[in-house]
Amino acid sequence: MASANNPSQLGITLCAVSYLGQFDSNSKRYTLMNEALSATLTEGWQVTWGPATHGEDLVYVAANTSGDCAVVVRGTLFDRIEDLLQDKNINPQEPLPFTAPSFPADAAISKGAVEVWKNVVAMSSSVGPGGGALLTFLQGLPQGTSLLVTGHSLGGQVATVLAAWLQGALTNVSVLPVTFAAPTAGNPAFAEAFDAAFPEAQRYYNALDVVPRAWTEEGLTSIMSLYPGGPACGLLCKAAVDAALRTLRDNALTYQQPTTGTELLGTVYSVSGFGAFEDEVNDQHRALYYMFLLDIPVSTIHSLNATWAPPPSEAARSAG
């Protein structure tokens, strides 16, 4: 099992669970998630609010038997890297849509992040023990509750925004953001204020993952030479990168990651073949691979997906 005492293993497991039941109702997801939490985590973690959805966005809250809680944001599902890079919601950057005393007036986040925050605010849970709006539920937690705010992929991006929101809106919890494979959420003013507001925040990224390279110019440019000796960014990929770079430059946009970050050293799955780059991008980005890179046993990962496997060169490690 993953260690519930290790914030990175706990966070990435909670994130991987958020992807279960993609085409199911929230009632069915609630059952699937609780079964998965029991199979993968110690300390009795179970869903206490949600899962709730609005549009394509999904959030749930889990708690253990000691009363520790976590807000989990599911990442956006995409099939091709071009779909992510062609995201038009990086322009414009907008002021924070909520009161956040630790953040300056010039702190700004992407239009897309603002839209997802609005979706989260509009969510209402109708399954499980906790009902109603997310903020109302969290306001009812006991004083001094430890609240992990976590997400993978675009869910990690939104988790940084939710952490800023909840820190300003709640007086009964201590907020710890832990993100995985997250693209940037906002401008330098936002990133620097995030660093100051959350000095213990944790951010994990696979060195071979495309997604956390968005939306800085340096990160986007690096995608075109990401796998030397392996699958290459093709014409569609390069066109999407160029378009994203033009959006940044034409609109004088600057995005910045929070300073704290832990690099995880992935291994290439494949070296050639039709569609190899897209497959590699997806494999390197999966929450299941992040679980593996964070030393969670393959037997635990198989509780979520029995067919998942690490890169061939790591087969010996996976058998251990």
Side-chain angles (χ1 to χ4, degrees):
M1 287 191 170
S3 171
N5 294 318
N6 180 323
S8 63
Q9 290 194 353
L10 171 62
I12 192 57
T13 302
L14 293 170
C15 290
V17 167
S18 74
Y19 289 104
L20 296 177
Q22 178 180 348
F23 301 108
D24 291 321
S25 65
N26 284 335
S27 177
K28 177 63 174 176
R29 289 184 181 122
Y30 172 77
T31 300
L32 289 173
M33 289 178 176
N34 278 329
E35 291 172 348
L37 292 174
S38 295
T40 55
L41 287 171
T42 58
E43 298 189 1
W45 284 88
Q46 292 285 274
V47 178
T48 55
W49 181 91
T53 51
H54 193 281
E56 296 183 355
D57 301 309
L58 179 147
V59 173
Y60 76 95
V61 179
N64 65 8
T65 53
S66 299
D68 301 319
C69 288
V71 174
V72 188
V73 189
R74 187 184 68 184
T76 298
L77 306 170
F78 63 91
D79 296 322
R80 302 179 309 151
I81 185 57
E82 292 86 356
D83 295 334
L84 173 71
L85 295 177
Q86 291 171 353
D87 185 353
K88 305 304 182 185
N89 288 330
I90 62 171
N91 179 51
Q93 291 176 337
E94 300 182 358
L96 299 183
F98 48 81
T99 300
S102 299
F103 289 74
D106 61 342
I109 57 178
S110 68
K111 173 186 175 183
V114 171
E115 291 176 352
V116 176
W117 176 81
K118 291 178 179 179
N119 286 346
V120 173
V121 171
M123 289 178 184
S124 180
S125 175
S126 59
V127 298
L134 174 63
L135 185 61
T136 302
F137 175 79
L138 296 176
Q139 287 170 332
L141 295 176
Q143 189 69 35
T145 296
S146 296
L147 183 66
L148 181 75
V149 181
T150 191
H152 166 264
S153 187
L154 295 177
Q157 176 197 60
V158 174
T160 64
V161 176
L162 294 190
W165 171 49
L166 296 175
Q167 185 194 59
L170 299 173
T171 59
N172 55 323
V173 303
S174 57
V175 176
L176 174 64
V178 180
T179 67
F180 308 88
T184 57
N187 65 356
F190 176 82
E192 291 162 10
F194 183 89
D195 287 336
F198 302 105
E200 297 183 3
Q202 299 177 27
R203 178 174 66 90
Y204 295 88
Y205 61 96
N206 174 5
L208 298 181
D209 189 353
V210 164
V211 176
R213 296 168 183 266
W215 299 100
T216 68
E217 285 201 32
E218 179 183 5
L220 289 167
T221 302
S222 71
I223 292 171
M224 292 190 277
S225 57
L226 182 56
Y227 307 122
C233 175
L235 293 177
L236 289 177
C237 170
K238 291 178 179 177
V241 169
D242 286 340
L245 288 170
R246 283 196 302 273
T247 298
L248 295 179
R249 293 165 183 166
D250 291 350
N251 296 282
L253 298 173
T254 301
Y255 281 89
Q256 182 174 310
Q257 288 280 16
T259 301
T260 301
T262 300
E263 183 178 67
L264 306 174
L265 301 179
T267 302
V268 173
Y269 271 80
S270 59
V271 296
S272 62
F274 179 77
F277 185 83
E278 288 74 14
D279 290 342
E280 192 69 43
V281 166
N282 289 334
D283 287 336
Q284 295 294 336
H285 183 60
R286 295 185 74 179
L288 300 177
Y289 191 32
Y290 273 76
M291 291 178 72
F292 180 79
L293 293 174
L294 289 162
D295 297 322
I296 295 174
V298 171
S299 58
T300 297
I301 300 172
H302 282 171
S303 299
L304 302 179
N305 185 329
T307 64
W308 180 86
S313 62
E314 301 204 65
R317 177 183 167 192
S318 70

